[in-house]
Amino acid sequence: VFSVYLPLINVPHESPVPAAKSLTTLSGHILYVDDEALITSMTKKVLERLGFTVTALTNADRALEIFRERPGEFDLVITDLLMPNITGLQLAESMQRIRPDMPIILTTGNNQDITTEALQQARIRELILKPFNRHTLEQAIRRVLNGVVGMEH
């Protein structure tokens, strides 16, 4: 037989404060592309928690193939810049030829080689620098889906 004695502490009961919620719920289907599997997996989970359906891929060629097959299925594309075979800018330009109104967010760990002209040519709506957090990602998505163009600095 064991007896455990714990001290009694009087703590006034406080009702839990609900977490701040966004003004509007997010929804839609996002095509997320990043060649790093861990980043892809983690970001997919974050996007799903925000309310999105997510098709997450680590292969840009496959992402373009799926987009060609079903361009109307996606509400937003988020792609990394540096990937094997196709860069995020090339992927964005190819997708824009298929569906010119497709909103695209570009992510990168290094923006030194990206010019404003290249972003405009690929019609990138937002540039997010890695590493990014949930709040940064959510705000960029909200701006893009609301039609506001901006770049994180």
Side-chain angles (χ1 to χ4, degrees):
V1 174
F2 292 94
S3 297
V4 177
Y5 297 95
L6 300 173
L8 178 64
I9 299 175
N10 278 331
V11 177
H13 177 67
E14 296 179 21
S15 58
V17 178
K21 291 194 175 187
S22 302
L23 295 176
T24 57
T25 304
L26 294 170
S27 65
H29 192 166
I30 294 177
L31 176 59
Y32 182 81
V33 189
D34 192 310
D35 62 309
E36 295 184 47
L38 182 60
I39 291 174
T40 301
S41 174
M42 290 176 14
T43 305
K44 180 180 190 229
K45 289 176 185 170
V46 168
L47 292 169
E48 287 173 340
R49 284 187 201 121
L50 288 173
F52 292 101
T53 300
V54 182
T55 299
L57 300 165
T58 57
N59 182 301
D61 292 313
R62 180 70 181 129
L64 185 55
E65 182 182 314
I66 288 172
F67 189 81
R68 278 190 181 121
E69 292 169 2
R70 307 183 306 251
E73 183 175 317
F74 303 101
D75 300 298
L76 174 65
V77 173
I78 302 174
T79 182
D80 186 32
L81 173 64
L82 299 176
M83 298 180 290
N85 301 328
I86 302 175
T87 69
L89 289 174
Q90 292 167 328
L91 181 63
E93 288 173 354
S94 296
M95 290 177 168
Q96 291 289 349
R97 283 193 290 274
I98 296 165
R99 187 173 154 200
D101 66 329
M102 175 52 63
I104 299 175
I105 294 174
L106 185 71
T107 66
T108 185
N110 181 354
N111 70 340
Q112 292 177 341
D113 296 329
I114 305 172
T115 64
T116 302
E117 294 78 24
L119 293 171
Q120 289 173 343
Q121 181 177 341
R123 289 184 246 164
I124 301 297
R125 306 253 182 115
E126 284 273 341
L127 174 66
I128 303 175
L129 299 180
K130 291 180 180 179
F132 53 83
N133 60 32
R134 177 188 178 277
H135 177 74
T136 300
L137 182 61
E138 179 181 359
Q139 293 308 309
I141 290 169
R142 285 185 183 282
R143 285 190 299 270
V144 168
L145 294 180
N146 289 326
V148 178
V149 177
M151 300 293 159
E152 180 195 284
H153 297 289

